[in-house]
């Protein structure tokens, strides 16, 4: 049986996964220019500063775009189909990709309010973010 690929915790995204374990969505914030960014990187994309810290976000946003995946390429996700892969515009003005769960694709529309939820995985340190319709 195929197993789902899971992220490996890296030095620069450790803060994200530590927050996720507590049910908190967080983003990197540049200490130089105050920009927020997700996904985590080693430098600020705006000013290239390496002084980045973690900021807890509200976990709320709205659907910016989405696509329904009815036949996942990786068979490990077969039982989860249809997957609602989405780009979420967070309240703080940055966007992230995640699946919307616990609803039918027909229930999702651009602009719909959503909030984050986390689910544990086979790796103790990885709690995956998903969104649900608010
Ligand atoms: Zn910066």
């Amino acid at each position: 049986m195929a197993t789902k690929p899971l992220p490996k915790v890296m030095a620069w995204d450790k803060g994200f996964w530590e927050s996720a374990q507590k049910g908190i969505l967080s983003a990197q914030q540049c200490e130089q220019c105050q920009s927020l960014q997700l996904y985590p990187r080693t430098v600020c994309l705006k000013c290239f500063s390496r002084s980045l810290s973690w900021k807890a976000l509200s976990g709320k946003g709205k659907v910016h775009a989405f696509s329904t995946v009815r036949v996942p390429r990786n068979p490990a996700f077969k039982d989860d189909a249809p997957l609602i892969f989405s780009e979420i515009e967070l309240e703080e003005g940055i966007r992230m990709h995640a699946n919307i769960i616990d609803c039918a694709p027909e229930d999702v529309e651009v602009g719909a309010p959503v909030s984050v939820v986390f689910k544990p995985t086979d790796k103790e340190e990885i709690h995956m973010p998903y969104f649900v319709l608010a």
Side-chain angles (χ1 to χ4, degrees), residues 59-120:
K60 297 181 190 315
K62 59 186 182 183
V63 178
H64 179 76
F66 69 99
S67 180
T68 303
V69 179
R70 296 190 187 277
V71 183
R73 290 184 65 154
N74 184 329
F77 293 93
K78 197 178 98 190
D79 292 342
D80 297 338
L83 301 167
I84 309 168
F85 178 70
S86 66
E87 183 168 3
I88 303 298
E89 172 125 16
L90 299 167
E91 274 186 348
E92 292 81 2
I94 53 174
R95 294 180 189 161
M96 70 176 283
H97 294 123
N99 289 348
I100 297 173
I101 58 169
D102 295 341
C103 67
E106 304 79 56
D107 298 335
V108 179
E109 57 186 35
V110 169
V114 290
S115 55
V116 75
V117 293
F118 291 91
K119 284 192 170 189

Side-chain angles (χ1 to χ4, degrees), residues 29-35 37 43-49 51-52:
Q29 184 163 39
C30 176
E31 294 174 3
Q32 209 71 37
C33 74
Q34 309 307 314
S35 295
Q37 65 183 18
V43 297
C44 170
L45 287 183
K46 296 253 167 64
C47 74
F48 303 109
S49 168
S51 298
L52 299 163

